[in-house]
Amino acid sequence: MSREIIATDKAPQAIGTYSQAVKVGNTVYLSGQSALVPETMEVIEGGIEAEIHQVFKNLTAVCEAAGGSLQQIAKLNIFLTDLSNFTTVNSIMAQYFEQPYPARAALGVKELPKGVGVEMDGVREQV
């Protein structure tokens, strides 16, 4: 199967040895997105709610660059430095997804790059 690298300037540029997303066949593998603002590559200000919204905006941009939408995510992984923000993630996620919701994992981690409180990656079907 062929591999296609997905890249957009509407999401933060990779800060390591990875691509924003890779399409293999009909599946798009989305790299972790954090609360970086694409234009500045700085963490958005405003606390965890602003960070979560920025992550969903970044994931949306990468999904659109791959020719699809956020709604096509089949599996979403959420990494939180403070699991007490789990309810906040659920509330905000409901603003970006409609039922049926994707499969999901939410994990507590010690820290994330650039000191953000949340990062998400996922797998998306290409329709």
Side-chain angles (χ1 to χ4, degrees):
M1 267 185 206
S2 66
R3 290 173 23 140
E4 178 185 346
I5 302 302
I6 307 299
T8 178
D9 59 0
K10 294 180 181 175
Q13 299 306 301
I15 55 174
T17 54
Y18 61 92
S19 300
Q20 290 172 326
V22 177
K23 179 180 172 188
V24 180
N26 289 329
T27 305
V28 178
Y29 299 91
L30 304 160
S31 289
Q33 288 293 324
S34 65
L36 296 179
V37 176
E39 296 81 11
T40 64
M41 292 297 290
E42 297 295 327
V43 178
I44 193 163
E45 295 181 8
I48 192 65
E49 290 185 15
E51 286 191 27
I52 295 165
H53 280 290
Q54 187 63 50
V55 169
F56 281 122
K57 289 176 188 175
N58 293 342
L59 284 172
T60 297
V62 177
C63 286
E64 289 174 352
S69 73
L70 192 68
Q71 193 63 36
Q72 294 165 313
I73 290 180
K75 176 65 163 68
L76 183 68
N77 296 309
I78 302 170
F79 305 93
L80 293 163
T81 58
D82 182 350
L83 284 175
S84 70
N85 292 317
F86 182 76
T87 303
T88 303
V89 168
N90 281 335
S91 173
I92 294 172
M93 184 174 168
Q95 298 173 36
Y96 290 89
F97 287 91
E98 299 172 5
Q99 290 189 20
Y101 300 122
R104 185 182 83 177
L107 305 166
V109 297
K110 182 178 177 184
E111 59 186 317
L112 291 164
K114 298 233 177 192
V116 298
V118 61
E119 182 173 331
M120 298 180 206
D121 70 7
V123 178
R124 204 196 94 212
E125 64 179 327
Q126 185 72 26
V127 205

